[in-house]
Amino acid sequence: MTDTAIQLQGVTKRYGELQVLKGIDLSVPAGRFVAVIGKSGSGKSTLLAVMSGLEKADGGDVLLAGENLSGHSEARMAELRRRTIGFVFQSFNLIPSLSALDNVLLPTFFDGDAAASRARAVSLLEQVGLGGRLHHRPSQLSGGEQQRVAIARALVGHPKILLADEPTGNLDAETGADVLGLLLDMTRINGATLLIVTHDLDIAARADMKIEMKDGRILNGHA
Amino acid sequence: MSLRYALHELDYRRGRSLVTVLSIAVSVLSAVLLTAVAASYARAVRAPVETVGADMVVQLTGDIPPELKGIVFPHPNALLPANAIAAIAQLPGVISVTRGVYMWELASDHYAAILGLADGEAGLGSFPARLIDGRPLRTDDRAVILDSDFAAKSAFKVGGEIDVAGTTFPVAGIVDAARGGKVARADVYMPLAAAQRLAAAAPMVQALYPFRDSDANLLLVKVDRQHLEEVVDKTVALLGKKGIVSSELSMRDALSGVLFLSQRMGLIVALVIGVFAAAFVLRATASAVAERRRELAVLQAIGWPWRCVRRQVLLENGLLALAGVGAGLVMAAILVGLLGEVSVSVELPWDLSSTPHFIPEATLDRTQTITVPISLPWETAAIAGLGGIAVALASAFALARSAPAHPWSLLRNE
Ligand SMILES: Nc1ncnc2c1ncn2[C@@H]1O[C@H](COP(=O)(O)OP(=O)(O)OP(=O)(O)O)[C@@H](O)[C@H]1O
Ligand SMILES: [Mg+2]
């Protein structure tokens, strides 16, 4: 097991004419809380996409927990996301037809032990304060509650790395602060590395490490 | 979990699920019902000729005798040339040829339609099943069998006697008039040889034809059904313009006005409905997949390989198809049960059921009502069922064949 959770070397990415990532070098030690900041359109979300293999980098290498993503098949990438990465999105992205519990269970679909998965999902929902809302659908939950479900879902597979793209962007300040606190606590409890893309400088201030992006480049390597 | 997810998903989009299920159900229902009804009509069309135990009735148009007196041949029953009979018997697909002599006895005080038949399934062999009294006839019998209506009208009984053109015959049996159709129907049935002798000795037959006591004027032909059309065509060609060849094919004309004449037509209509339903299912699946692109991208983001995402879409569509096919089959079974049977009235052409119209009391009702039970066509049901499921799965497979190139773009915040 390596001590470097995320490592990027000379990563480039373009959409048509637009060069979105212009050679990113980055190394995030395991267990840290990293904030990625920068202007809109600077490539923050794209960076997350490339890290998670949801978008393929055009050039350079991405290593997650020591594993180089280049050449991975779609199925292999999916497995890596399932085992290594948890996602939290700005717009929650819960499945509207499923209850909170089923949403959390969704990533465990391929794990053998259904009873253990269920116990973990219930316990995570209890930890995020939704022990009484297991069978509610997303439409029956508030934004903050939905994001808590999303956090539980991101953690259900014991990920080493948690990627969050403006997780509080759709929440009011107070709820956002609660959710962030929860995210930090839960990450710490689970011993994961947390990388948050945010516009919120207060959040950035609390991070172990701050990465500022501009125009597809990282301005500063470390904070 | 994936079944649970599928069920939740289908329930969540209840409206569309219902419409998809219904469109599959309706196409399965129409395919099954149309073929069921069409098959029954096809059987009904076959019935008039089939009731005589044959698939084809062969006659030849002749002339009207100079005097309507004694034994005469009705004009659709001219002497059939022996070589033509032999040629028909040789046609590929012909199983058996039963020769007959059909004639009228026109006496001053009575009238009778007389049919002499050779041995065989369509001939004398057909009587045992229809007898309500007495015994069947042997080839060398000098006795006759009477139609029950005719016997009742003239108070003939088994054991009694009847005079036909000056010859006295013992009455050996009576057949049920209600059973059997109206083709090759007569009042008096006798063995072929006896009828041939009567015809050969009749002046009004000899005035028109050189009929000898080995000739016939009616053929009941059993044909391998696969060759029926071909045999009919060749027989028509053999006999020329004057030939009258009746079969289920010619019966279809008598049934005009009935919408679904052939099984093929039923299948074509069902196919058209099926194609529309398939297009609809494809569209519904397309919009379902499009609407859920983001949701499917979420599944990818949380680690579902695309083949599992696709399997999920397949499962959902498969469930819809199963429900649709099941509902369609159940509805079809219920409707078939409610309809129960198809009943058609056929006005038989005169030459198949000739009676001397100039004798009022002899005017036979030529309308035959045929009732055929409708039964569930298992083959079509199976094909329609599998077709429905195949269409649903194929459209799901086609639409979710490959993973989207940029799932991330669906997940970005907006
Ligand atoms: N799939 C795509 N196709 C074309 N252009 C894209 C695509 N994804 C991102 N871009 C472009 O790449 C640039 C960087 O986008 P990205 O989403 O990474 O920015 P961001 O830093 O996350 O911005 P924001 O703070 O507004 O979320 C933008 O100009 C965007 O329009
Ligand atoms: Mg962004």
Side-chain angles (χ1 to χ4, degrees):
Chain A
M1 169 100 188
T2 168
D3 285 331
T4 310
I6 306 167
Q7 189 162 10
L8 274 67
Q9 294 166 344
V11 168
T12 58
K13 177 73 189 172
R14 68 187 309 147
Y15 288 116
E17 295 289 280
L18 191 69
Q19 189 74 37
V20 181
L21 299 180
K22 300 174 178 168
I24 304 279
D25 294 304
L26 174 67
S27 178
V28 177
R32 299 290 174 85
F33 165 26
V34 184
V36 180
I37 55 172
K39 283 212 191 84
S40 183
S42 56
K44 307 183 294 295
S45 295
T46 305
L47 182 67
L48 240 60
V50 168
M51 275 180 191
S52 61
L54 283 171
E55 290 284 346
K56 266 205 165 13
D58 296 330
D61 290 307
V62 178
L63 289 88
L64 288 187
E67 188 169 337
N68 196 325
L69 303 193
S70 59
H72 275 17
S73 67
E74 187 269 341
R76 181 80 190 84
M77 260 332 298
E79 190 189 345
L80 188 77
R81 276 197 293 279
R82 206 160 61 237
R83 303 206 183 290
T84 312
I85 306 173
F87 263 115
V88 179
F89 304 94
Q90 177 175 347
S91 41
F92 323 138
N93 282 332
L94 298 178
I95 306 297
S97 63
L98 294 179
S99 68
L101 180 59
D102 283 339
N103 262 289
V104 175
L105 282 170
L106 218 42
T108 70
F109 179 71
F110 310 95
D111 299 339
D113 194 344
S117 296
R118 193 185 152 88
R120 165 133 175 108
V122 171
S123 136
L124 280 169
L125 281 168
E126 278 164 357
Q127 288 174 54
V128 300
L130 293 172
R133 313 293 296 274
L134 299 183
H135 302 296
H136 287 196
R137 280 184 180 172
S139 59
Q140 297 167 298
L141 301 172
S142 72
E145 288 163 345
Q146 289 186 52
Q147 196 61 302
R148 288 158 192 262
V149 175
I151 290 169
R153 179 179 68 184
L155 289 166
V156 76
H158 302 279
K160 295 190 186 77
I161 300 160
L162 217 59
L163 302 177
D165 195 355
E166 302 185 43
T168 60
N170 279 3
L171 304 174
D172 62 66
E174 201 178 326
T175 315
D178 286 352
V179 165
L180 180 75
L182 187 69
L183 193 54
L184 291 174
D185 289 348
M186 298 291 284
T187 314
R188 201 166 305 126
I189 293 168
N190 287 278
T193 304
L194 174 64
L195 191 143
I196 296 185
V197 170
T198 185
H199 287 288
D200 186 334
L201 295 181
D202 291 342
I203 296 177
R206 294 171 66 179
D208 303 327
M209 194 175 147
K210 203 160 61 179
I211 296 171
E212 188 176 353
M213 287 198 66
K214 191 180 178 189
D215 247 353
R217 292 183 212 281
I218 291 177
L219 287 185
N220 63 325
H222 303 274
Chain B
M1 175 68 194
S2 104
L3 179 63
R4 237 172 97 94
Y5 178 18
L7 291 173
H8 278 295
E9 193 57 43
L10 297 177
D11 181 45
Y12 186 71
R13 291 158 210 274
R14 210 169 298 156
R16 188 182 28 228
S17 300
L18 212 65
V19 172
T20 307
V21 166
L22 276 181
S23 75
I24 294 174
V26 164
S27 60
V28 168
L29 169 68
S30 57
V32 171
L33 210 59
L34 286 175
T35 11
V37 172
S40 296
Y41 276 118
R43 254 175 298 154
V45 166
R46 219 178 300 155
V49 175
E50 213 173 40
T51 45
V52 299
D55 303 288
M56 180 171 87
V57 178
V58 180
Q59 293 160 287
L60 197 62
T61 309
D63 295 313
I64 296 172
E67 230 179 317
L68 290 165
K69 205 177 78 188
I71 296 283
V72 301
F73 283 176
H75 78 250
N77 294 90
L79 165 69
L80 284 166
N83 58 352
I85 298 177
I88 291 168
Q90 294 299 314
L91 290 176
V94 168
I95 297 166
S96 71
V97 173
T98 303
R99 295 184 305 150
V101 175
Y102 185 72
M103 53 207 174
W104 297 336
E105 185 198 9
L106 305 170
S108 54
D109 58 342
H110 69 270
Y111 149 80
I114 298 157
L115 178 58
L117 283 172
D119 209 2
E121 202 182 328
L124 298 181
S126 69
F127 290 114
R130 290 159 55 201
L131 272 181
I132 50 177
D133 197 8
R135 62 167 178 85
L137 295 176
R138 295 183 311 270
T139 345
D140 55 352
D141 250 323
R142 294 193 163 264
V144 296
I145 283 180
L146 302 182
D147 175 84
S148 60
D149 286 351
F150 176 78
K153 202 165 65 184
S154 308
F156 288 112
K157 295 230 163 7
V158 171
E161 289 185 331
I162 180 174
D163 178 88
V164 180
T167 311
T168 304
F169 291 90
V171 177
I174 292 177
V175 285
D176 190 354
R179 228 163 336 147
K182 299 196 170 179
V183 174
R185 165 89 180 273
D187 301 317
V188 180
Y189 300 95
M190 59 179 65
L192 181 65
Q196 285 169 328
R197 273 194 298 276
L198 286 178
M204 284 306 118
V205 172
Q206 295 301 325
L208 294 177
Y209 317 110
F211 191 96
R212 287 164 302 136
D213 62 7
S214 57
D215 283 328
N217 68 358
L218 174 77
L219 297 183
L220 302 176
V221 186
K222 264 195 94 59
V223 182
D224 178 355
R225 286 185 42 76
Q226 292 198 315
H227 294 101
L228 184 59
E229 211 161 332
E230 193 182 318
V231 170
V232 166
D233 287 348
K234 285 188 177 150
T235 307
V236 168
L238 257 168
L239 294 177
K241 260 212 285 283
K242 295 202 155 179
I244 304 169
V245 180
S246 311
S247 69
E248 59 172 284
L249 304 175
S250 52
M251 280 302 136
R252 287 181 190 173
D253 303 333
L255 270 177
S256 62
V258 173
L259 191 57
F260 305 112
L261 285 184
S262 67
Q263 234 151 325
R264 201 177 304 151
M265 174 122 70
L267 269 181
I268 287 170
V269 174
L271 205 70
V272 170
I273 295 174
V275 166
F276 275 99
F280 183 85
V281 169
L282 184 70
R283 232 196 57 166
T285 311
S287 76
V289 169
E291 243 174 69
R292 289 174 65 205
R293 277 176 56 195
R294 186 186 176 102
E295 185 173 327
L296 301 184
V298 171
L299 293 179
Q300 284 186 277
I302 63 175
W304 281 44
W306 185 254
R307 67 185 152 77
C308 295
V309 175
R310 181 176 57 206
R311 200 186 298 154
Q312 189 66 24
V313 176
L314 281 171
L315 176 65
E316 287 170 15
N317 263 34
L319 289 173
L320 290 177
L322 274 182
V325 167
L329 290 182
V330 167
M331 286 193 282
I334 291 172
L335 278 175
V336 161
L338 286 179
L339 286 175
E341 56 194 30
V342 152
S343 196
V344 284
S345 286
V346 192
E347 166 93 8
L348 288 179
W350 188 79
D351 29 69
L352 267 188
S353 188
S354 58
T355 48
H357 47 88
F358 43 84
I359 300 179
E361 67 267 28
T363 307
L364 190 102
D365 180 11
R366 281 187 288 115
T367 314
Q368 184 173 357
T369 302
I370 304 146
T371 303
V372 180
I374 303 183
S375 56
L376 213 55
W378 291 111
E379 215 170 274
T380 318
I383 291 171
L386 292 178
I389 292 168
V391 162
L393 292 185
S395 50
F397 190 82
L399 289 159
R401 189 175 36 214
S402 52
H406 300 291
W408 180 257
S409 61
L410 300 166
L411 298 168
R412 283 164 68 216
N413 313 316
E414 66 258 344

